[in-house]
Amino acid sequence: MRMGYDLVLEQQQKLIMTPELKLALKILQLPTIELEDLVKQELETNPVLDVIEDIPEEKPEDTDINIMDKNKLLEEIDWKEYFQYQGKSYCLENAAIEESQENNYENYVSYSDTLKDHLLFQLRALKLSKCERAIGEYIIESLDDNGYLTSSIEQISEELSLSREKIKKVLKVIQTFEPLGVGALDLIDCLLIQVNALGLADDNLITIIREHLDDIGANRLHHIAKKLSISVVEVQHYSDIIKGLEPKPGRAFSCGTDNRYIIPDVYIEKVDDEYVITINDSYSSKLMVNRYYKNIINNGDKSSDTMTFINDKISSALWLIKSLEQRKNTLYKVVKAIVDYQMDFFEKGSRYLKTMTLKDIADEVQVHESTVSRAISGKYAQTPRGLFELKYFFKSGVGSQSGEDISSESIKKMIKSIIDEEDNSKPISDQTIADLLGRKGIKISRRTVAKYRDEIGIPSSSRRKRY
């Protein structure tokens, strides 16, 4: 065996993703909000890229160039000739998002009080000393979004250099504020504050809250009845009281900075008997290369560093415009295929949602499944039946005797409907639900029923039982 260093020539086939291809894949995957951020960033860094508010009318002497042929311009472009024909054709066509959709007053969110604003208003309405008011404001600022006190009385006392008794006195006042339960140290304290304020507290209820919350959650009412030497019916009454309390008093209020907005990427509207699909690209559809650089290209020295820089920036701008157009076309084709496949859903409702996979749509659009996955990732559609994430329409399902698959969403609604009609004193088991669905021609196992029931937040039959 000979060991050493040699030079060897060999041929290999490799798939290398160019920066342009990576950008195109990234743009396809981005939802509208993030896409607009990317376009704004490109506008800031690329001087040749521009946005036009009003697209000028094309002159008769201008020559049309199909936007789908832009990829040809990326190879050996004669920029002087390019700028001679630059006009409306080099801008992405406007998606025609109606002004009523862009400027709809429902899109504006009015300011709403936060939990701390609500509590500070109540605090300032009381006749308190300057010191007590300062303590109250400090306590309120120490509450989390759910209304729980995040600092201990000892910590607040040390921070303000005041006695614990003064802190406790003001805290007791804040615990009487609306919503009931604010200022609590933990869940047990929160529930006790509420039952005391509502006048519902007795020895048994306080004991159950302090020692048997886990048993209430698991519906082990016989265990509690045995411990307290009371009837199961009484325990059921106490359980109903506890479940009617609010474990997170502050969640009914705005968190201030925790607002999340969803801008639909696609609008699906029914016009007469046809569904019309509009892609939301009202911002990116107005991109073009700035005409100012026409003179630089015509009069500049092509061998200069400036000309090289401008050529690179123009290539980058054209590739961005081309990628945005490809995203628009791909997203339109995917959504059109979804609408055609799920027509029963749009016409009749969610019970008629069919099982659908990425492969079904990929075969229809004639692209790879990964392309469909990127096209629907994080995107939402405004439909006549509400706002839905595009992933909502891709559901697994179970077989039926008719040979057609039924989506999991439809099965979940059937399960919920069956449980809503059950006798609470004799709740239906998962196996019984599976048998009932089997009589309707739906082949489903008990484990699948349990899985779907958990996903829609319905407890097991043992926890649903009432006495």
Side-chain angles (χ1 to χ4, degrees), residues 126-262:
L126 298 177
K127 292 183 179 180
L128 300 174
S129 66
K130 191 174 182 179
C131 178
E132 290 173 334
R133 193 180 301 276
I135 295 172
E137 291 177 354
Y138 189 94
I139 291 174
I140 291 173
E141 291 297 332
S142 299
L143 300 179
D144 62 17
D145 292 336
N146 292 322
Y148 287 90
L149 187 61
T150 57
S151 301
S152 66
I153 294 176
E154 290 75 13
Q155 290 174 328
I156 298 175
S157 173
E158 184 177 346
E159 288 289 335
L160 299 181
S161 300
L162 295 171
S163 66
R164 297 179 185 178
E165 287 70 24
K166 287 186 177 181
I167 306 299
K168 289 180 180 179
K169 179 182 176 182
V170 178
L171 179 59
K172 289 291 185 183
V173 174
I174 292 176
Q175 289 176 346
T176 63
F177 289 176
E178 291 288 341
L180 292 176
V182 294
L185 301 175
D186 52 34
L187 176 61
I188 293 176
D189 191 24
C190 177
L191 299 179
L192 290 176
I193 290 172
Q194 294 180 61
V195 295
N196 284 320
L198 295 172
L200 302 173
D202 61 25
D203 293 339
N204 288 329
L205 182 56
I206 291 175
T207 302
I208 292 173
I209 291 175
R210 291 187 183 278
E211 302 176 9
H212 298 286
L213 283 183
D214 290 339
D215 293 326
I216 291 294
N219 208 36
R220 295 191 290 264
L221 305 189
H222 283 286
H223 175 73
I224 301 174
K226 184 178 180 181
K227 286 283 186 180
L228 301 182
S229 300
I230 57 179
S231 68
V232 179
V233 175
E234 289 180 276
V235 178
Q236 181 73 73
H237 172 67
Y238 289 130
S239 175
D240 292 341
I241 292 175
I242 293 173
K243 290 179 179 179
L245 302 176
E246 176 54 75
K248 297 178 180 180
R251 64 180 170 183
F253 290 82
S254 167
C255 296
T257 59
D258 197 31
N259 294 326
R260 292 179 175 86
Y261 302 95
I262 294 176

Side-chain angles (χ1 to χ4, degrees), residues 179-406:
L180 292 176
V182 294
L185 301 175
D186 52 34
L187 176 61
I188 293 176
D189 191 24
C190 177
L191 299 179
L192 290 176
I193 290 172
Q194 294 180 61
V195 295
N196 284 320
L198 295 172
L200 302 173
D202 61 25
D203 293 339
N204 288 329
L205 182 56
I206 291 175
T207 302
I208 292 173
I209 291 175
R210 291 187 183 278
E211 302 176 9
H212 298 286
L213 283 183
D214 290 339
D215 293 326
I216 291 294
N219 208 36
R220 295 191 290 264
L221 305 189
H222 283 286
H223 175 73
I224 301 174
K226 184 178 180 181
K227 286 283 186 180
L228 301 182
S229 300
I230 57 179
S231 68
V232 179
V233 175
E234 289 180 276
V235 178
Q236 181 73 73
H237 172 67
Y238 289 130
S239 175
D240 292 341
I241 292 175
I242 293 173
K243 290 179 179 179
L245 302 176
E246 176 54 75
K248 297 178 180 180
R251 64 180 170 183
F253 290 82
S254 167
C255 296
T257 59
D258 197 31
N259 294 326
R260 292 179 175 86
Y261 302 95
I262 294 176
I263 296 179
D265 302 88
V266 183
Y267 294 93
I268 302 173
E269 297 177 316
K270 188 173 184 180
V271 180
D272 296 329
D273 294 329
E274 182 182 358
Y275 285 93
V276 178
I277 300 169
T278 307
I279 306 300
N280 184 3
D281 67 341
S282 56
Y283 181 83
S284 59
S285 63
K286 300 174 183 178
L287 290 179
M288 68 175 296
V289 174
N290 195 316
R291 290 171 179 264
Y292 167 77
Y293 291 90
K294 172 181 178 180
N295 295 330
I296 298 179
I297 291 293
N298 289 332
N299 303 324
D301 180 8
K302 285 193 173 183
S303 62
S304 66
D305 292 339
T306 301
M307 193 62 60
T308 301
F309 172 80
I310 293 175
N311 283 339
D312 291 341
K313 291 299 183 180
I314 289 177
S315 296
S316 175
L318 283 175
W319 188 268
L320 175 64
I321 294 172
K322 176 177 178 289
S323 299
L324 290 169
E325 179 67 11
Q326 287 180 336
R327 173 189 183 272
K328 174 183 175 182
N329 292 336
T330 302
L331 186 56
Y332 177 86
K333 291 177 182 178
V334 169
V335 175
K336 180 69 167 59
I338 291 173
V339 172
D340 292 341
Y341 198 99
Q342 299 287 5
M343 187 58 69
D344 288 342
F345 165 83
F346 290 99
E347 292 290 336
K348 302 176 183 178
S350 56
R351 278 203 173 193
Y352 295 88
L353 189 67
K354 297 179 182 177
T355 176
M356 186 175 71
T357 63
L358 293 175
K359 188 176 186 303
D360 294 328
I361 300 302
D363 291 343
E364 179 68 24
V365 183
Q366 296 183 347
V367 295
H368 195 270
E369 292 178 37
S370 62
T371 302
V372 177
S373 178
R374 288 188 177 95
I376 67 172
S377 177
K379 297 179 180 64
Y380 289 80
Q382 181 67 55
T383 75
R385 294 195 173 274
L387 182 67
F388 295 94
E389 189 175 9
L390 290 180
K391 287 184 178 179
Y392 172 83
F393 299 102
F394 292 82
K395 297 292 184 182
S396 59
V398 298
S400 64
Q401 292 179 355
S402 63
E404 295 183 357
D405 289 339
I406 301 176

Side-chain angles (χ1 to χ4, degrees), residues 401 431-444:
Q401 292 179 355
Q431 184 59 56
T432 304
I433 296 175
D435 295 338
L436 291 173
L437 293 175
R439 295 172 192 170
K440 297 180 180 181
I442 301 172
K443 297 179 288 186
I444 188 171

Side-chain angles (χ1 to χ4, degrees), residues 111-129:
Y111 175 80
S112 57
D113 284 346
T114 64
L115 174 65
K116 292 177 181 179
D117 292 335
H118 185 64
L119 296 177
L120 287 172
F121 176 79
Q122 296 176 73
L123 178 70
R124 289 160 186 165
L126 298 177
K127 292 183 179 180
L128 300 174
S129 66

Side-chain angles (χ1 to χ4, degrees), residues 71-128:
N71 56 338
K72 297 179 181 178
L73 297 175
L74 297 176
E75 302 175 0
E76 301 296 328
I77 303 175
D78 186 339
W79 296 113
K80 289 186 178 181
E81 182 180 358
Y82 160 72
F83 278 113
Q84 290 177 4
Y85 301 110
Q86 182 175 0
K88 184 177 178 180
S89 299
Y90 281 92
C91 306
L92 290 177
E93 294 180 0
N94 199 327
I97 302 294
E98 294 184 359
E99 185 178 354
S100 59
Q101 292 174 335
E102 291 181 348
N103 299 319
N104 193 326
Y105 287 108
E106 293 179 358
N107 293 333
Y108 296 92
V109 180
S110 61
Y111 175 80
S112 57
D113 284 346
T114 64
L115 174 65
K116 292 177 181 179
D117 292 335
H118 185 64
L119 296 177
L120 287 172
F121 176 79
Q122 296 176 73
L123 178 70
R124 289 160 186 165
L126 298 177
K127 292 183 179 180
L128 300 174

